[in-house]
Amino acid sequence: MIPPPRPASRRRPGQDARRDAVLSPEIARSQERRSETLPCRLSGRGVYSPPFAHLNEEDRMRQTRREFLKVTALATGATSIAGFPLVARAQASKVVVWWNKGYYPEEDTAMQKIVKEFENRAKVEVDLSFTAQEDLLKKINAALIAHRVPDVAFCFFNDWQVVPKYGWTGQLADCSDIVSDLKPRYNEKMLAVAHVLNSKTKKRAYYGVPIEAQTMHIHYWRDMLREVGMADAPDRIPMKWDAYWGYWKKAQDELRKKDAAKYGKLYGIGMTESTRASDTLYNFDMALLSYHGEVIDAEGKVVADQAKNKKAITETLKWFGELFTSGYVPPDATNWTDGDNNAGFHSRLIVMTPNPSQSIPAAQFFNKEDPEKKNYFDNMATIEWPDGPDGKKARYLSAVKTIIIPAESKNQKAARDFIKFVVERERFSEYIKAANGRWFPAFKDVADDPFWRTGHKGPKGQKDLHVPVATTIFLDRENKVFDHWKHPAFSQVYDENVWGKAMARIAIDKWTADKAADEGIERVKAIFTHFK
């Protein structure tokens, strides 16, 4: 039964989900870490010393949320090390590294280990701090504006909102030498993300070092489908456009019919359509690809107003509008942040959700309240984006996460040495696998590790239905990086979440898709016209 259309919600993001959620403590902590800056610490001579070792785990977690991580290890010894000349070591001062806080403690622990090794090998002092992605982006922007910069910064938003913008203004160091050395190892498709224009030199260069990528995945609860007798195996989910989305609508109808008390607030499709989430941009751009539309061309010129593309943009927005008003998307999805679809899924308030990265299954893999990992191996699965409305196989977009060195860094050489150290094959492989496949490596030799094709093996021999799916999407499907590298004005299009606003025009203000598309296209053109 199809429920009647519901009015758009003005509730705070995730309010429903959080109020009704039955989040496990482990997952709740994971969600909380997204918006907080967490500390941990390395102490003298590279020996890791937990800052609150006298406290139990729960207390440590509470304490560590209140402080920044400070990593300091004093330089000792003077023996020669490949790649780090004695003179450089003697002259280097403290290297300040700002690193994106991981979703899981294992990611941060892996980076702490790398820093410790670097300090011992290079004989330099490192000041490492972890900050959640939203706060770190603000911190990097403020630092570049105030000319008080770190030596190295790695934020999950660098590729979208830092590299194009500050490469253009000349505020990032040219990292072409690092990229050139690493080029034989790179997955070529991922390199373009850092190859951006500098308005002063009038040339492109690599103003960052790409290291890992995310792409679109669909996660769903298999046990919910089984509960109402629907096929739950990934290879039995219909992949044609209408049948695919209809499948999740049917799941909502059947579950509500079976147990209204239990599933009365459950929705079939956890589609983020807000102006606040970067997930919205991902969802829009994936759907626009399915409708064969483009906003800018290969030279970075706006082509959104061309008839073919305007039609595709309008169809895409109309599809999102109808999906939202159909009653199969949570009413507060127009206000979600990036973590709210994760929270809704973990709380079993939605049957499926598109998500750019494997953070959802990874959170279940690390869920200590599920020691046999039944959710990860038996109760949920990851599948691909459906075939387009024209029946053609889905094409994908990748966001490639990138390390930057500010041009005003006082330790350019040490910063470069640190990045090279981080991405060495064995070391980087250990680091990225600590996130359990949440990210995919930008380096071919790291991606050659059998882990990426097979994933984990369950305690009862179950196959991994998550990591190998991402590998297929990255290596076997048509996949390109987002277009923001082509022109820095595109960063502002993302900053303003132009297409999220267009979705809100339809869902909340009841505009037609044509009118919302016109406004969005005009805004994109204005941004490019006035960009300097």
Side-chain angles (χ1 to χ4, degrees), residues 12 75 79 83 105 131 151 156 163 165 261 315 377 420 442 530:
R12 294 175 59 194
T79 55
T131 307
D151 298 305
F156 296 151
V163 173
K165 184 187 301 181
E315 287 176 336
F377 288 107
K420 292 175 186 175
H530 299 295

mmCIF file with all atom_site columns, all heavy atoms in Angstrom, residues 12 75 79 83 105 131 151 156 163 165 261 315 377 420 442 530:
data_model
loop_
_atom_site.group_PDB
_atom_site.id
_atom_site.type_symbol
_atom_site.label_atom_id
_atom_site.label_alt_id
_atom_site.label_comp_id
_atom_site.label_asym_id
_atom_site.label_entity_id
_atom_site.label_seq_id
_atom_site.pdbx_PDB_ins_code
_atom_site.Cartn_x
_atom_site.Cartn_y
_atom_site.Cartn_z
_atom_site.occupancy
_atom_site.B_iso_or_equiv
_atom_site.pdbx_formal_charge
_atom_site.auth_seq_id
_atom_site.auth_comp_id
_atom_site.auth_asym_id
_atom_site.auth_atom_id
_atom_site.pdbx_PDB_model_num
ATOM 1   N N   . ARG A 1 12  ? 15.001 19.343  12.857  1.00 0.00 ? 12  ARG A N   1
ATOM 2   C CA  . ARG A 1 12  ? 16.465 19.344  12.818  1.00 0.00 ? 12  ARG A CA  1
ATOM 3   C C   . ARG A 1 12  ? 16.936 18.042  12.215  1.00 0.00 ? 12  ARG A C   1
ATOM 4   O O   . ARG A 1 12  ? 16.262 17.020  12.311  1.00 0.00 ? 12  ARG A O   1
ATOM 5   C CB  . ARG A 1 12  ? 17.031 19.502  14.234  1.00 0.00 ? 12  ARG A CB  1
ATOM 6   C CG  . ARG A 1 12  ? 16.691 20.857  14.828  1.00 0.00 ? 12  ARG A CG  1
ATOM 7   C CD  . ARG A 1 12  ? 17.153 20.911  16.240  1.00 0.00 ? 12  ARG A CD  1
ATOM 8   N NE  . ARG A 1 12  ? 18.582 20.684  16.322  1.00 0.00 ? 12  ARG A NE  1
ATOM 9   C CZ  . ARG A 1 12  ? 19.203 20.410  17.457  1.00 0.00 ? 12  ARG A CZ  1
ATOM 10  N NH1 . ARG A 1 12  ? 18.545 20.355  18.571  1.00 0.00 ? 12  ARG A NH1 1
ATOM 11  N NH2 . ARG A 1 12  ? 20.505 20.212  17.455  1.00 0.00 ? 12  ARG A NH2 1
ATOM 12  N N   . ALA A 1 75  ? 63.802 13.817  18.802  1.00 0.00 ? 75  ALA A N   1
ATOM 13  C CA  . ALA A 1 75  ? 64.735 13.211  17.867  1.00 0.00 ? 75  ALA A CA  1
ATOM 14  C C   . ALA A 1 75  ? 65.929 12.638  18.606  1.00 0.00 ? 75  ALA A C   1
ATOM 15  O O   . ALA A 1 75  ? 66.435 13.212  19.544  1.00 0.00 ? 75  ALA A O   1
ATOM 16  C CB  . ALA A 1 75  ? 65.215 14.249  16.874  1.00 0.00 ? 75  ALA A CB  1
ATOM 17  N N   . THR A 1 79  ? 72.083 8.239   12.627  1.00 0.00 ? 79  THR A N   1
ATOM 18  C CA  . THR A 1 79  ? 72.505 7.359   11.553  1.00 0.00 ? 79  THR A CA  1
ATOM 19  C C   . THR A 1 79  ? 71.759 7.694   10.279  1.00 0.00 ? 79  THR A C   1
ATOM 20  O O   . THR A 1 79  ? 70.682 8.224   10.283  1.00 0.00 ? 79  THR A O   1
ATOM 21  C CB  . THR A 1 79  ? 72.218 5.900   11.930  1.00 0.00 ? 79  THR A CB  1
ATOM 22  O OG1 . THR A 1 79  ? 70.854 5.798   12.260  1.00 0.00 ? 79  THR A OG1 1
ATOM 23  C CG2 . THR A 1 79  ? 73.078 5.472   13.089  1.00 0.00 ? 79  THR A CG2 1
ATOM 24  N N   . GLY A 1 83  ? 66.507 8.386   1.991   1.00 0.00 ? 83  GLY A N   1
ATOM 25  C CA  . GLY A 1 83  ? 65.474 9.387   1.753   1.00 0.00 ? 83  GLY A CA  1
ATOM 26  C C   . GLY A 1 83  ? 65.504 10.535  2.733   1.00 0.00 ? 83  GLY A C   1
ATOM 27  O O   . GLY A 1 83  ? 64.828 11.525  2.546   1.00 0.00 ? 83  GLY A O   1
ATOM 28  N N   . PRO A 1 105 ? 38.620 3.909   15.553  1.00 0.00 ? 105 PRO A N   1
ATOM 29  C CA  . PRO A 1 105 ? 39.893 4.057   16.269  1.00 0.00 ? 105 PRO A CA  1
ATOM 30  C C   . PRO A 1 105 ? 41.056 3.405   15.534  1.00 0.00 ? 105 PRO A C   1
ATOM 31  O O   . PRO A 1 105 ? 42.195 3.860   15.625  1.00 0.00 ? 105 PRO A O   1
ATOM 32  C CB  . PRO A 1 105 ? 39.611 3.358   17.609  1.00 0.00 ? 105 PRO A CB  1
ATOM 33  C CG  . PRO A 1 105 ? 38.132 3.399   17.766  1.00 0.00 ? 105 PRO A CG  1
ATOM 34  C CD  . PRO A 1 105 ? 37.561 3.302   16.377  1.00 0.00 ? 105 PRO A CD  1
ATOM 35  N N   . THR A 1 131 ? 41.257 15.899  13.623  1.00 0.00 ? 131 THR A N   1
ATOM 36  C CA  . THR A 1 131 ? 40.063 16.730  13.721  1.00 0.00 ? 131 THR A CA  1
ATOM 37  C C   . THR A 1 131 ? 38.990 16.160  12.812  1.00 0.00 ? 131 THR A C   1
ATOM 38  O O   . THR A 1 131 ? 39.284 15.706  11.709  1.00 0.00 ? 131 THR A O   1
ATOM 39  C CB  . THR A 1 131 ? 40.372 18.185  13.292  1.00 0.00 ? 131 THR A CB  1
ATOM 40  O OG1 . THR A 1 131 ? 41.491 18.660  14.052  1.00 0.00 ? 131 THR A OG1 1
ATOM 41  C CG2 . THR A 1 131 ? 39.179 19.108  13.538  1.00 0.00 ? 131 THR A CG2 1
ATOM 42  N N   . ASP A 1 151 ? 52.155 22.165  8.136   1.00 0.00 ? 151 ASP A N   1
ATOM 43  C CA  . ASP A 1 151 ? 53.049 21.714  7.052   1.00 0.00 ? 151 ASP A CA  1
ATOM 44  C C   . ASP A 1 151 ? 52.357 20.707  6.138   1.00 0.00 ? 151 ASP A C   1
ATOM 45  O O   . ASP A 1 151 ? 52.652 20.650  4.942   1.00 0.00 ? 151 ASP A O   1
ATOM 46  C CB  . ASP A 1 151 ? 54.312 21.096  7.661   1.00 0.00 ? 151 ASP A CB  1
ATOM 47  C CG  . ASP A 1 151 ? 55.086 22.110  8.478   1.00 0.00 ? 151 ASP A CG  1
ATOM 48  O OD1 . ASP A 1 151 ? 55.422 23.170  7.918   1.00 0.00 ? 151 ASP A OD1 1
ATOM 49  O OD2 . ASP A 1 151 ? 55.319 21.861  9.676   1.00 0.00 ? 151 ASP A OD2 1
ATOM 50  N N   . PHE A 1 156 ? 39.103 15.045  4.439   1.00 0.00 ? 156 PHE A N   1
ATOM 51  C CA  . PHE A 1 156 ? 38.281 14.327  3.466   1.00 0.00 ? 156 PHE A CA  1
ATOM 52  C C   . PHE A 1 156 ? 37.621 15.280  2.465   1.00 0.00 ? 156 PHE A C   1
ATOM 53  O O   . PHE A 1 156 ? 37.121 14.839  1.439   1.00 0.00 ? 156 PHE A O   1
ATOM 54  C CB  . PHE A 1 156 ? 37.202 13.500  4.177   1.00 0.00 ? 156 PHE A CB  1
ATOM 55  C CG  . PHE A 1 156 ? 37.739 12.398  5.047   1.00 0.00 ? 156 PHE A CG  1
ATOM 56  C CD1 . PHE A 1 156 ? 37.035 11.964  6.155   1.00 0.00 ? 156 PHE A CD1 1
ATOM 57  C CD2 . PHE A 1 156 ? 38.952 11.787  4.760   1.00 0.00 ? 156 PHE A CD2 1
ATOM 58  C CE1 . PHE A 1 156 ? 37.524 10.940  6.956   1.00 0.00 ? 156 PHE A CE1 1
ATOM 59  C CE2 . PHE A 1 156 ? 39.458 10.769  5.553   1.00 0.00 ? 156 PHE A CE2 1
ATOM 60  C CZ  . PHE A 1 156 ? 38.740 10.345  6.659   1.00 0.00 ? 156 PHE A CZ  1
ATOM 61  N N   . VAL A 1 163 ? 41.623 21.916  -2.726  1.00 0.00 ? 163 VAL A N   1
ATOM 62  C CA  . VAL A 1 163 ? 42.605 21.844  -3.816  1.00 0.00 ? 163 VAL A CA  1
ATOM 63  C C   . VAL A 1 163 ? 42.253 22.766  -4.990  1.00 0.00 ? 163 VAL A C   1
ATOM 64  O O   . VAL A 1 163 ? 43.099 23.571  -5.414  1.00 0.00 ? 163 VAL A O   1
ATOM 65  C CB  . VAL A 1 163 ? 42.804 20.382  -4.272  1.00 0.00 ? 163 VAL A CB  1
ATOM 66  C CG1 . VAL A 1 163 ? 43.693 20.316  -5.517  1.00 0.00 ? 163 VAL A CG1 1
ATOM 67  C CG2 . VAL A 1 163 ? 43.426 19.565  -3.149  1.00 0.00 ? 163 VAL A CG2 1
ATOM 68  N N   . LYS A 1 165 ? 40.274 25.416  -5.158  1.00 0.00 ? 165 LYS A N   1
ATOM 69  C CA  . LYS A 1 165 ? 40.175 26.819  -4.744  1.00 0.00 ? 165 LYS A CA  1
ATOM 70  C C   . LYS A 1 165 ? 41.539 27.424  -4.432  1.00 0.00 ? 165 LYS A C   1
ATOM 71  O O   . LYS A 1 165 ? 41.897 28.500  -4.924  1.00 0.00 ? 165 LYS A O   1
ATOM 72  C CB  . LYS A 1 165 ? 39.269 26.912  -3.513  1.00 0.00 ? 165 LYS A CB  1
ATOM 73  C CG  . LYS A 1 165 ? 38.994 28.321  -3.018  1.00 0.00 ? 165 LYS A CG  1
ATOM 74  C CD  . LYS A 1 165 ? 38.240 28.313  -1.688  1.00 0.00 ? 165 LYS A CD  1
ATOM 75  C CE  . LYS A 1 165 ? 36.911 27.604  -1.779  1.00 0.00 ? 165 LYS A CE  1
ATOM 76  N NZ  . LYS A 1 165 ? 36.167 27.624  -0.494  1.00 0.00 ? 165 LYS A NZ  1
ATOM 77  N N   . ALA A 1 261 ? 3.313  -2.025  14.119  1.00 0.00 ? 261 ALA A N   1
ATOM 78  C CA  . ALA A 1 261 ? 3.877  -1.472  15.348  1.00 0.00 ? 261 ALA A CA  1
ATOM 79  C C   . ALA A 1 261 ? 5.400  -1.397  15.267  1.00 0.00 ? 261 ALA A C   1
ATOM 80  O O   . ALA A 1 261 ? 6.018  -0.426  15.693  1.00 0.00 ? 261 ALA A O   1
ATOM 81  C CB  . ALA A 1 261 ? 3.458  -2.338  16.532  1.00 0.00 ? 261 ALA A CB  1
ATOM 82  N N   . GLU A 1 315 ? 15.006 16.264  -15.537 1.00 0.00 ? 315 GLU A N   1
ATOM 83  C CA  . GLU A 1 315 ? 14.527 14.902  -15.276 1.00 0.00 ? 315 GLU A CA  1
ATOM 84  C C   . GLU A 1 315 ? 15.092 14.365  -13.965 1.00 0.00 ? 315 GLU A C   1
ATOM 85  O O   . GLU A 1 315 ? 14.400 13.672  -13.214 1.00 0.00 ? 315 GLU A O   1
ATOM 86  C CB  . GLU A 1 315 ? 14.916 13.991  -16.442 1.00 0.00 ? 315 GLU A CB  1
ATOM 87  C CG  . GLU A 1 315 ? 14.111 14.234  -17.703 1.00 0.00 ? 315 GLU A CG  1
ATOM 88  C CD  . GLU A 1 315 ? 14.578 13.375  -18.870 1.00 0.00 ? 315 GLU A CD  1
ATOM 89  O OE1 . GLU A 1 315 ? 15.761 12.959  -18.838 1.00 0.00 ? 315 GLU A OE1 1
ATOM 90  O OE2 . GLU A 1 315 ? 13.784 13.135  -19.786 1.00 0.00 ? 315 GLU A OE2 1
ATOM 91  N N   . PHE A 1 377 ? 28.191 -10.016 7.851   1.00 0.00 ? 377 PHE A N   1
ATOM 92  C CA  . PHE A 1 377 ? 28.280 -11.145 6.920   1.00 0.00 ? 377 PHE A CA  1
ATOM 93  C C   . PHE A 1 377 ? 26.926 -11.729 6.507   1.00 0.00 ? 377 PHE A C   1
ATOM 94  O O   . PHE A 1 377 ? 26.803 -12.289 5.418   1.00 0.00 ? 377 PHE A O   1
ATOM 95  C CB  . PHE A 1 377 ? 29.138 -12.255 7.527   1.00 0.00 ? 377 PHE A CB  1
ATOM 96  C CG  . PHE A 1 377 ? 30.598 -11.925 7.562   1.00 0.00 ? 377 PHE A CG  1
ATOM 97  C CD1 . PHE A 1 377 ? 31.233 -11.623 8.754   1.00 0.00 ? 377 PHE A CD1 1
ATOM 98  C CD2 . PHE A 1 377 ? 31.342 -11.897 6.388   1.00 0.00 ? 377 PHE A CD2 1
ATOM 99  C CE1 . PHE A 1 377 ? 32.584 -11.309 8.787   1.00 0.00 ? 377 PHE A CE1 1
ATOM 100 C CE2 . PHE A 1 377 ? 32.694 -11.588 6.405   1.00 0.00 ? 377 PHE A CE2 1
ATOM 101 C CZ  . PHE A 1 377 ? 33.314 -11.281 7.605   1.00 0.00 ? 377 PHE A CZ  1
ATOM 102 N N   . LYS A 1 420 ? 55.771 11.105  1.415   1.00 0.00 ? 420 LYS A N   1
ATOM 103 C CA  . LYS A 1 420 ? 56.375 9.947   0.735   1.00 0.00 ? 420 LYS A CA  1
ATOM 104 C C   . LYS A 1 420 ? 56.450 8.742   1.673   1.00 0.00 ? 420 LYS A C   1
ATOM 105 O O   . LYS A 1 420 ? 56.255 7.594   1.259   1.00 0.00 ? 420 LYS A O   1
ATOM 106 C CB  . LYS A 1 420 ? 57.775 10.305  0.234   1.00 0.00 ? 420 LYS A CB  1
ATOM 107 C CG  . LYS A 1 420 ? 57.794 11.334  -0.889  1.00 0.00 ? 420 LYS A CG  1
ATOM 108 C CD  . LYS A 1 420 ? 59.236 11.712  -1.228  1.00 0.00 ? 420 LYS A CD  1
ATOM 109 C CE  . LYS A 1 420 ? 59.300 12.842  -2.243  1.00 0.00 ? 420 LYS A CE  1
ATOM 110 N NZ  . LYS A 1 420 ? 60.695 13.296  -2.474  1.00 0.00 ? 420 LYS A NZ  1
ATOM 111 N N   . ALA A 1 442 ? 44.510 4.619   -4.005  1.00 0.00 ? 442 ALA A N   1
ATOM 112 C CA  . ALA A 1 442 ? 44.788 5.257   -5.300  1.00 0.00 ? 442 ALA A CA  1
ATOM 113 C C   . ALA A 1 442 ? 45.984 4.613   -5.987  1.00 0.00 ? 442 ALA A C   1
ATOM 114 O O   . ALA A 1 442 ? 46.301 4.963   -7.127  1.00 0.00 ? 442 ALA A O   1
ATOM 115 C CB  . ALA A 1 442 ? 45.044 6.748   -5.095  1.00 0.00 ? 442 ALA A CB  1
ATOM 116 N N   . HIS A 1 530 ? 31.199 35.186  -12.325 1.00 0.00 ? 530 HIS A N   1
ATOM 117 C CA  . HIS A 1 530 ? 31.780 36.127  -11.371 1.00 0.00 ? 530 HIS A CA  1
ATOM 118 C C   . HIS A 1 530 ? 33.020 35.576  -10.665 1.00 0.00 ? 530 HIS A C   1
ATOM 119 O O   . HIS A 1 530 ? 33.622 36.274  -9.846  1.00 0.00 ? 530 HIS A O   1
ATOM 120 C CB  . HIS A 1 530 ? 30.730 36.521  -10.334 1.00 0.00 ? 530 HIS A CB  1
ATOM 121 C CG  . HIS A 1 530 ? 29.534 37.210  -10.936 1.00 0.00 ? 530 HIS A CG  1
ATOM 122 N ND1 . HIS A 1 530 ? 29.625 38.448  -11.553 1.00 0.00 ? 530 HIS A ND1 1
ATOM 123 C CD2 . HIS A 1 530 ? 28.244 36.830  -11.063 1.00 0.00 ? 530 HIS A CD2 1
ATOM 124 C CE1 . HIS A 1 530 ? 28.426 38.808  -12.009 1.00 0.00 ? 530 HIS A CE1 1
ATOM 125 N NE2 . HIS A 1 530 ? 27.575 37.845  -11.731 1.00 0.00 ? 530 HIS A NE2 1
#
